[in-house]
Amino acid sequence: MGETSSSRVVIGMDPHKRSVTIEVMDAAERVLDGGRFGTDEAGFAALMDYVSRFGDRVWAVEGCNGIGRHVAVRLVAAGEEVVDVPPKLSARARVFSTGQGRKTDATDAHSVALVGTRMSGLRPVVADEQRKELRVLVDRRGWLGEEHTRKVAQLHHLLLELIPGGAKKDLSAAQAKALLAGVRPRDAAGKARRRVAAELIGDLERIHVRKKAADKELTELVRATGSSLLDLLGIGPTGAARLLVDVEDITRFPDRGHFASWNGTAPIDASSGDHVRHRLSRQGNRQINRTLHIMATVQLRRPSEGRSYFDRKRADGKTNMEAMRCLKRRLSDLVYKTMLDDVVRAKATGPGGHRGNDSDSSATGSQPHTGSSDKPLPGPADPHPRTPLPAAS
């Protein structure tokens, strides 16, 4: 956005499910207009008619990966130029603007418009049918996992009352069925518990079948994108799909440190005086952080480079949690390099399609045992920078 012409306007939008509030702002940050519109067909048509007099326009929509996705997708489908404004940036703009940080739809739209006018490097929203399909299916796979977890918790509760000591934590439907086969309660409440437990086991069996089908479908779609994330130990179809849909364009992160900051695996400097220490970041994309945590857990359960790296950190005097944090950061670097290599391989026109000299992003190597991962970021950075890919050699 940094090259905005004097005639171009930014339309900041605060989206909700059934309505959106907009503010139109020019390059000099003068407010030209604004209003509130519904998100049904009539409201969207009225919105497009309302802004039609602003020929050179760009939409800055808050939270295009969340609540703003539904309207951002419709705008892109209508041929509009849309950029994503992270809620964190609009919140900062709201605090530092007039109004003492009060939060209303109008002030939110104003803050979004300010960010869209002032900041360069905001991520454009593009029409990518393949990724949209992936997003729908990976969300569905996540819901199946959550449903499975709820059913297992309910079954554990019943089995604790039916079987002395209950059942083990990692309980499959087949194991639960075998346990239940030996239970013959005589009282009415016990019979009801057994009947409900049997129904839950049936639900778990059906969910298991649907999960397997969903994993197969996600695997095929991830492979179709040309991604090699599934080749990494600990990254399954759900994790790979989640990385593709949430990261979208890996080149918007200029280096592995910015990517680690975004996913919450970069430690935060918490030093004071002569006492130097770092603490775990609780910020960042928590779904991607969870994907990296699962990846680390899988590598720790079997002989792997990740297991060796963890053991070396423990031998250096780090606690289990500190060593796990270091491992997750190394795996973040590995995922960053893998995704960047995939993009370069797809776009390369030269022989071999190798990356240029990028010592920072390539220093990780192909395994998590090289380089240093327990250093924090050098300082604040634009959370959505964009830099061109290194030239292919």
Side-chain angles (χ1 to χ4, degrees):
M1 294 268 309
E3 300 176 358
T4 303
S5 65
S6 59
S7 61
R8 169 169 267 204
V9 299
V10 172
I11 306 174
M13 176 184 289
D14 176 43
H16 295 279
K17 291 182 179 179
R18 295 181 176 83
S19 68
V20 297
T21 302
I22 67 167
E23 180 174 282
V24 184
M25 181 178 291
D26 65 13
E29 299 185 7
R30 292 189 299 265
V31 177
L32 305 180
D33 219 328
R36 182 184 181 90
F37 300 86
T39 56
D40 56 8
E41 291 186 8
F44 189 78
L47 171 64
M48 298 307 297
D49 182 66
Y50 187 78
V51 301
S52 61
R53 65 183 185 276
F54 303 106
D56 190 6
R57 60 182 181 265
V58 60
W59 299 77
V61 180
E62 184 180 48
C64 290
N65 274 337
I67 189 62
R69 185 190 309 156
H70 70 103
V71 68
V73 169
R74 294 172 70 184
L75 288 170
V76 171
E80 299 291 313
E81 181 181 352
V82 183
V83 295
D84 178 23
V85 175
K88 184 186 298 183
L89 294 184
S90 58
R92 290 174 183 171
R94 183 173 62 250
V95 168
F96 289 105
S97 63
T98 59
Q100 293 77 45
R102 287 193 294 268
K103 190 176 183 350
T104 65
D105 291 347
T107 57
D108 282 351
H110 178 72
S111 301
V112 174
L114 282 174
V115 173
T117 303
R118 294 175 179 176
M119 293 201 64
S120 61
L122 294 173
R123 181 178 61 85
V125 180
V126 297
D128 189 336
E129 292 299 322
Q130 195 175 44
R131 271 182 168 74
K132 284 196 290 186
E133 182 182 8
L134 261 180
R135 183 181 294 280
V136 172
L137 294 178
V138 75
D139 285 346
R140 175 59 175 154
R141 177 59 178 82
W143 298 334
L144 286 173
E146 293 169 2
E147 186 178 359
H148 179 272
T149 301
R150 286 194 298 272
K151 298 288 186 183
V152 168
Q154 294 165 10
L155 183 58
H156 268 285
H157 177 74
L158 291 172
L159 290 178
L160 184 60
E161 297 179 319
L162 289 169
I163 303 173
K168 66 176 185 177
K169 182 178 179 181
D170 299 323
L171 185 68
S172 68
Q175 291 168 337
K177 182 179 289 187
L179 286 174
L180 199 63
V183 177
R184 291 289 185 269
R186 298 180 180 276
D187 60 305
K191 292 178 180 179
R193 291 190 191 99
R194 190 185 188 285
R195 185 181 70 252
V196 174
E199 292 174 357
L200 287 172
I201 291 173
D203 292 341
L204 287 175
E205 289 175 332
R206 287 186 289 273
I207 292 172
H208 178 70
V209 172
R210 292 157 68 189
K211 283 168 61 179
K212 287 185 65 176
D215 286 342
K216 181 180 179 181
E217 188 174 17
L218 283 175
T219 299
E220 294 173 352
L221 286 173
V222 170
R223 293 292 188 194
T225 67
S227 171
S228 56
L229 286 170
L230 289 173
D231 297 332
L232 300 178
L233 178 61
I235 294 289
T238 302
R242 178 58 63 190
L243 280 163
L244 289 175
V245 300
D246 279 16
V247 173
E248 293 191 349
D249 181 10
I250 191 65
T251 63
R252 64 191 175 102
F253 302 102
D255 56 51
R256 58 186 180 175
H258 285 82
F259 179 65
S261 179
W262 175 77
N263 63 45
T265 57
I268 298 175
D269 191 352
S271 304
S272 177
D274 295 331
H275 185 59
V276 179
R277 62 180 293 270
H278 304 102
R279 66 176 177 84
L280 181 69
S281 172
R282 297 293 183 185
Q283 300 177 342
N285 186 306
R286 304 317 298 170
Q287 294 197 81
I288 299 303
N289 191 283
R290 180 175 182 270
T291 297
L292 294 171
H293 186 85
I294 293 173
M295 184 182 183
T297 302
V298 170
Q299 295 209 6
L300 289 179
R301 288 176 177 173
R302 63 188 69 182
S304 64
E305 293 291 349
R307 176 79 245 186
S308 300
Y309 178 84
F310 179 89
D311 291 340
R312 287 196 298 273
K313 287 297 180 182
R314 291 287 290 120
D316 290 341
K318 292 188 179 296
T319 65
N320 282 335
M321 291 185 64
E322 290 172 336
M324 173 61 91
R325 174 183 59 75
C326 293
L327 176 58
K328 287 172 66 175
R329 172 60 195 273
R330 297 313 304 151
L331 295 177
S332 170
D333 295 345
L334 177 58
V335 167
Y336 174 79
K337 181 181 183 297
T338 300
M339 296 187 73
L340 189 61
D341 285 345
D342 286 341
V343 173
V344 175
R345 189 183 306 112
K347 293 185 176 181
T349 56
H354 297 299
R355 294 217 321 252
N357 182 18
D358 182 8
S359 58
D360 184 57
S361 60
S362 62
T364 310
S366 60
Q367 298 294 345
H369 68 284
T370 57
S372 173
S373 68
D374 47 354
K375 294 180 179 179
L377 291 179
D382 181 353
H384 289 275
R386 294 183 65 84
T387 55
L389 284 171
S393 59

